[in-house]
């Protein structure tokens, strides 16, 4: 997958508490993103969370707003990360076609000592998931 640095929300962003992505994308105006082609936001776990702490929580939201601080953001989607997810685990948001000017990702961590590192980006390349399974045919 090709990742455009101008479309990255986070590049190895270490998160220990609730935080907005390092980059918020300015679409230029209230936009109908994805009308011509579907768009996705990919969230990738770069450094795994500490699975030993049973009270940690990890939630990622895709948000849009009319200001870069996303202070009154509309949540477009929510993904719950699982404690102990493997490095490289990805979660995908489909971007709705109607958005406000700014698009960003918010990481909400809870519990005693939550910590994880993420990369996140916007792409028009379909995030395909292919998995090989043993044949059920004898």
């Amino acid at each position: 997958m090709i990742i455009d640095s101008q479309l990255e929300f986070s590049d190895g962003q270490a998160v220990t508490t609730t935080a907005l992505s390092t980059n918020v994308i300015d679409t230029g105006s209230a936009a109908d993103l994805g009308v011509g082609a579907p768009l996705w936001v990919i969230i990738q776990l770069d450094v795994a969370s500490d699975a030993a702490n049973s009270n940690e929580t990890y939630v990622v939201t895709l948000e849009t707003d009319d200001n870069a601080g996303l202070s009154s953001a509309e949540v477009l989607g929510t993904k719950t990360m699982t404690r102990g997810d493997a490095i490289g685990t990805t979660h995908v948001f489909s971007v709705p076609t109607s958005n406000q000017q700014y698009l960003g990702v918010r990481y909400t961590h809870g519990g005693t000592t939550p910590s994880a590192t993420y990369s996140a980006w916007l792409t028009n390349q379909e995030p395909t998931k292919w998995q090989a399974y043993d044949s059920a045919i004898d």
Side-chain angles (χ1 to χ4, degrees):
M1 177 176 294
I2 297 170
I3 301 173
D4 182 334
S5 64
Q6 297 298 310
L7 298 177
E8 281 184 306
F9 294 103
S10 301
D11 183 14
Q13 181 176 347
V15 181
T16 58
T17 186
T18 298
L20 193 56
S21 54
T22 306
N23 186 34
V24 172
I25 296 174
D26 181 351
T27 64
S29 65
D32 288 333
L33 292 175
V35 170
L39 296 175
W40 291 273
V41 173
I42 312 296
I43 311 294
Q44 177 177 292
L45 182 63
D46 293 340
V47 177
S49 58
D50 181 2
N53 291 324
S54 61
N55 67 349
E56 295 176 5
T57 59
Y58 303 91
V59 177
V60 179
T61 54
L62 175 63
E63 301 180 1
T64 188
D65 205 343
D66 61 359
N67 65 80
L70 302 181
S71 60
S72 58
E74 173 188 350
V75 175
L76 300 174
T78 301
K79 299 287 182 182
T80 300
M81 306 298 241
T82 303
R83 201 174 31 258
D85 276 350
I87 292 172
T89 298
T90 59
H91 294 273
V92 179
F93 289 104
S94 174
V95 178
T97 56
S98 181
N99 299 285
Q100 295 182 49
Q101 182 173 350
Y102 296 93
L103 196 62
V105 173
R106 187 176 312 274
Y107 305 101
T108 305
H109 287 190
T112 307
T113 56
S115 176
T117 301
Y118 303 98
S119 290
W121 61 92
L122 180 67
T123 183
N124 67 348
Q125 296 178 345
E126 186 171 351
T128 57
K129 296 286 185 180
W130 182 83
Q131 176 67 45
Y133 293 98
D134 289 336
S135 174
I137 302 171
D138 290 348

